[in-house]
């Protein structure tokens, strides 16, 4: 059997997916852990698609996401590649620095002490 007679694996060749880098996931999971400890969040999901990577946060598994943290590299030079999307699809914050964008969600941790 020669290599010339092998059939290539089906599917589009060279298609790439957008994914979160390890350092980005570290920042996101740090916030996620604090929100879980505060009782705000309980589950998450990660989707890596062709144009966007999404980290979805849930209060309960069967619900729609409370927030979506999106990474869209094509918007890097325009509006910024990171965005926080609210439960009804509204953009809460957009920018090129992930830590700055995530501050919108960190404000949920700050509560008034009586």
């Amino acid at each position: 059997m020669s290599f010339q007679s092998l059939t290539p694996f089906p599917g589009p060749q060279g298609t790439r997916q957008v994914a979160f880098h390890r350092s980005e996931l570290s920042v996101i999971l740090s916030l996620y852990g604090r929100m879980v400890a505060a009782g705000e969040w309980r589950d998450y999901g990660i989707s890596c698609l062709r144009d966007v990577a999404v980290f979805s946060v849930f209060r309960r598994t069967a619900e729609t996401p409370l927030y979506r943290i999106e990474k869209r590299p094509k918007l890097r030079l325009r509006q910024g590649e990171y965005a926080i999307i609210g439960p009804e699809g509204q953009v809460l914050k957009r920018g090129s620095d992930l830590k700055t964008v995530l501050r919108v969600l960190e404000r949920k941790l700050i509560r008034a002490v009586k």
Side-chain angles (χ1 to χ4, degrees), residues 2-98:
S2 70
F3 287 106
Q4 295 171 346
S5 65
L6 293 178
T7 305
F9 190 76
Q13 298 295 324
T15 57
R16 300 184 60 92
Q17 292 180 332
V18 175
F20 289 105
H21 188 268
R22 182 178 292 186
S23 60
E24 295 166 331
L25 277 177
S26 175
V27 172
I28 294 170
L29 289 173
S30 173
L31 172 63
Y32 176 78
R34 288 180 282 153
M35 294 299 263
V36 167
E40 296 291 321
W41 298 350
R42 296 216 174 131
D43 201 6
Y44 72 90
I46 299 176
S47 300
C48 298
L49 307 171
R50 202 172 102 211
D51 296 329
V52 62
V54 182
F55 187 96
S56 301
V57 177
F58 299 89
R59 182 163 288 148
R60 289 178 192 82
T61 306
E63 293 182 346
T64 58
L66 288 174
Y67 300 102
R68 293 189 328 256
I69 302 165
E70 294 187 353
K71 176 183 178 181
R72 294 181 184 267
K74 289 186 178 181
L75 296 178
R76 183 179 69 241
L77 299 175
R78 295 184 195 140
Q79 304 166 351
E81 65 182 320
Y82 302 107
I84 306 295
I85 312 296
E88 294 161 10
Q90 70 275 29
V91 177
L92 302 178
K93 181 82 171 171
R94 188 181 296 275
S96 57
D97 181 45
L98 182 59

Side-chain angles (χ1 to χ4, degrees), residues 31 34 99 102-110:
L31 172 63
R34 288 180 282 153
K99 290 181 182 180
L102 290 177
R103 284 188 195 147
V104 166
L105 299 177
E106 288 180 1
R107 289 186 196 142
K108 305 281 186 200
L109 284 173
I110 301 171

